[in-house]
Each structure stands twice: as C-alpha cells, then as structure tokens.
Amino acid sequence: MNTATLTETTDAKTAQFYSDVIDGLKSTPKRLQSKYFYDANGDKIFQELMNCEEYYPTNCELEIFSKKTAELAAAIAGDGGPFDLIELGAGDAMKSAYLLRYLLEQGVDFTYMPIDISDNVICYLNETLPQTLPGLQIIGLNGEYFNMLEEAERLSTRRKVVMFLGSNVGNMPVPEAIGFIKELNRHLSPGDMLLIGIDLKKSPKTVLAAYNDKEGITKRFNLNLLLRINKELNANFNVEHFDHYATYDPETGACKSYLVSTEAQTVHIGNEVIRFEKDEYIFMEISQKFTIAETEQMALEANFTPVRELFDSKKWFMDAVWLA
Ligand code: AVJ
C-alpha cells in the first residue's frame, strides 16, 4: 500500500487566511471567500446540508455515481492503460468511492490523488479509504488546488484524469471559472481528461430552496465562517448580529449568499478594525447554475472537447467528461 500526505504549513495557511479576510472586508462591497467555509465545523455543517431535504445537488450526483458507474468508468478509461485519478476538493469522497470500487474490481491500475483544502478531510481519507477499499493506492494532498496539482504532477508520470465534482466550479463567477478551467488545461496533456460535475438550471424555486433551507443549516454554514475567523484570527464577530440572505437569478443562473449586518457595529480582527453599517452586507458565495449548452461553450473556450455527458433521472445535474 502506498499512502502519503503532503501538507502546507499551518503558519503559511493562517497568514494567507488573514490577508484574504482583511482584503475582503476592506473592499467595497465587503466579501469573504467561500473556500474558507470548510474548517472541521464547516465540514460537519456541510454534511448536514447534504442530508437536508432541500439541498439536491449531492443526491443527484450520487445517483449518477452509484447507478452509472460503469458508464463513468468507460468514459474515463482511455486506452485502458494505467492512469492517475486526481480529485479537486475530494470532501468525504462518498461519490468517488463508487467509481474507485468499480475500477478496483475491474483490476484497473490507477492511483487516487485526492486534493482538499481541509486537512481534516485528507487525514480522514488517507486513513479510511484503504480500509474500505482494499488495494487502493492513495496519495492525499492537503492545500490549494493548483499548488497541490503541481505536487501531483511531480508525483505522476501517467495519463491524468482530473475530477472536479459537486458543482464546485459554480463557486466561481463564470469568467473566473473559464480562467480556472483554462489553467487546469495548461496542467494537462493531450489524452488527459476532466470529469466535471455541474449543477444545471432548473425551477428557480428548487434552486433557491437549496440555499435557503427551512432548518437554517445554510445560515449556520455561512455564520460558521465568522466563528472560524474569531477562532483562528483573534476576532470578535457576534453572529447574532448577522442574518443570512440568499438570491437566485434564473436569467444569469447565479445563486448568491450574503450575511447582512442587522445593526451598526465594529468588529476587531487581529490589529484591524472593521466597521459595518446597519444592513451592510458581506458577499459570501456564488453557486452558479448552467444550461447544457453553456457548459459545452465553457469547455470549448477552455480548450477542452466535451466527449460524454451523464445525468441523474431528473436531469438536474450533469457529470461531463472533457478531453484535454
Ligand atoms: C460544495 C460548493 C458545491 O455551492 O452548492 C452548499 C456549497 N453552499 N450550500 C454549493 C454550498 C451552500 C456547495 N458546493
């Protein structure tokens, strides 16, 4: 068994977190980066979210991975030779595990390289996956996508299949998403592939409900970032003075989350002081939705060729295979 973990140092990560938070809260309008949602508590709240009634994307993609495993495996098989399967933002790898198990059963020679910003996640995967999937070659990489992708390139000599699931691509505004996928393409060679999970446009009510659940899990998920800032950056946010607000625009496909200051207040973060007016908002997250045509356009603009599209039974979600 080949198991390893590579981690950026905690100091460097905290320094980056601090400067990103201060930059974001000193800009107009104020913003925070949703990639910072995922500390240990954030991971837990996201798990709750995935199990709640309104949040559909995970279940849709799980349906694709559990019921169309053979089709997925065939779509990424290439010439049948060995390859490295790199996953950006692996999370609990619940969906990927279906594919990993199938590939192992078929005797395919591959190494699974999960990349995640959460060190919890990577430790967990390195420990548990080899137990539940005997024979799995795994190298967990803890850090930012492109830093760790470069690490993966240093470790890999074989054809690469990159998985980017869960509509994580939707957490960037479209132009940035295209830039990101282009950059990804530059790290790949002809014959390499991208298996990308994308949330599709659907009833606006269905989308909005997923980001505005009745139980308030999404609200807690957003507020948790303020608590993380308190804990890790020595700040004093009072989460009772912030409310969560979500919008969905069916025209653009942009679903956005905000935290709104319910009163005029001052927050201290390290040596910095941030003032909020009453009703001033922090832009927290975008979760972009696409038509199928828009995703194909995006693939072409980023120099990929779409080769296969798989859907759940409601056609709410798509996993597409794009050739580099
Ligand atoms: C994990 C980024 C795909 O945008 O749907 C869920 C995160 N935010 N509810 C998404 C999230 C609010 C989720 N992704």
Side-chain angles (χ1 to χ4, degrees):
M1 200 180 319
N2 175 6
T3 320
T5 311
L6 295 161
T7 305
E8 287 174 341
T9 70
T10 314
D11 281 1
K13 279 201 274 188
T14 305
Q16 186 65 50
F17 181 33
Y18 181 73
S19 82
D20 285 344
V21 165
I22 297 303
D23 280 357
L25 294 181
K26 284 192 164 180
S27 13
T28 315
K30 291 182 169 59
R31 55 183 160 74
L32 288 170
Q33 296 180 39
S34 57
K35 67 177 182 190
Y36 290 121
F37 283 171
Y38 305 92
D39 67 346
N41 281 322
D43 289 343
K44 250 190 247 149
I45 304 170
F46 187 57
Q47 292 284 343
E48 280 182 62
L49 207 45
M50 290 192 290
N51 290 318
C52 91
E53 209 182 296
E54 295 102 324
Y55 191 73
Y56 62 83
T58 312
N59 289 335
C60 291
E61 193 169 41
L62 191 59
E63 182 192 325
I64 299 171
F65 271 74
S66 62
K67 299 210 173 132
K68 299 190 172 169
T69 328
E71 282 113 301
L72 274 175
I76 61 166
D79 61 5
F83 63 92
D84 289 313
L85 187 56
I86 300 165
E87 179 163 12
L88 304 179
D92 63 5
M94 228 243 268
K95 294 166 286 191
S96 349
Y98 285 93
L99 181 61
L100 301 178
R101 182 177 298 278
Y102 184 88
L103 293 171
L104 287 170
E105 281 166 6
Q106 299 294 307
V108 177
D109 180 9
F110 72 102
T111 299
Y112 178 52
M113 298 182 175
I115 294 175
D116 206 284
I117 183 115
S118 164
D119 48 357
N120 282 300
V121 157
I122 292 303
C123 291
Y124 172 84
L125 293 179
N126 268 329
E127 273 201 12
T128 59
L129 281 188
Q131 289 167 22
T132 53
L133 299 168
L136 181 71
Q137 307 263 333
I138 176 171
I139 302 176
L141 303 167
N142 172 221
E144 299 271 340
Y145 289 154
F146 284 114
N147 294 344
M148 292 305 110
L149 197 60
E150 277 160 22
E151 203 61 57
E153 279 173 88
R154 275 189 279 279
L155 298 165
S156 164
T157 52
R158 321 195 276 188
R159 189 173 72 91
K160 288 198 271 303
V161 178
V162 175
M163 290 198 289
F164 193 35
L165 307 182
S167 207
N168 280 321
V169 69
N171 282 166
M172 292 170 263
V174 176
E176 200 184 306
I178 292 171
F180 179 88
I181 299 166
K182 267 190 192 159
E183 174 74 19
L184 202 53
N185 188 285
R186 280 192 283 274
H187 285 271
L188 301 179
S189 310
D192 289 351
M193 288 172 177
L194 177 62
L195 169 51
I196 186 165
I198 300 174
D199 197 11
L200 300 175
K201 285 183 177 169
K202 61 186 64 61
S203 157
K205 290 185 180 175
T206 304
V207 174
L208 186 59
Y211 295 87
N212 196 29
D213 65 290
K214 282 195 236 71
E215 271 186 84
I217 305 171
T218 313
K219 176 177 177 171
R220 270 198 288 128
F221 186 55
N222 279 269
L223 289 175
N224 179 63
L225 177 46
L226 303 188
L227 294 174
R228 177 181 187 182
I229 294 170
N230 282 354
K231 219 180 328 174
E232 294 183 25
L233 304 179
N234 189 27
N236 66 347
F237 277 104
N238 182 344
V239 293
E240 307 209 325
H241 296 166
F242 288 89
D243 198 9
H244 176 245
Y245 179 74
T247 67
Y248 176 61
D249 177 357
E251 244 180 279
T252 61
C255 185
K256 295 180 178 177
S257 273
Y258 303 88
L259 286 177
V260 181
S261 177
T262 55
E263 52 189 68
Q265 56 182 319
T266 302
V267 176
H268 294 258
I269 307 172
N271 297 323
E272 301 281 351
V273 180
I274 307 289
R275 284 207 46 81
F276 288 86
E277 287 173 42
K278 181 176 175 351
D279 299 328
E280 186 175 355
Y281 65 85
I282 312 173
F283 169 57
M284 300 295 287
E285 185 182 42
I286 180 166
S287 299
Q288 180 70 37
K289 312 306 172 194
F290 299 87
T291 63
I292 298 166
E294 284 165 347
T295 69
E296 291 165 355
Q297 183 60 35
M298 188 158 66
L300 297 176
E301 277 182 51
N303 309 313
F304 280 98
T305 310
V307 290
R308 188 91 168 81
E309 293 172 339
L310 294 157
F311 303 93
D312 62 296
S313 50
K314 295 198 203 97
K315 239 187 163 181
W316 281 3
F317 200 95
M318 175 175 80
D319 281 295
V321 176
W322 297 351
L323 188 61

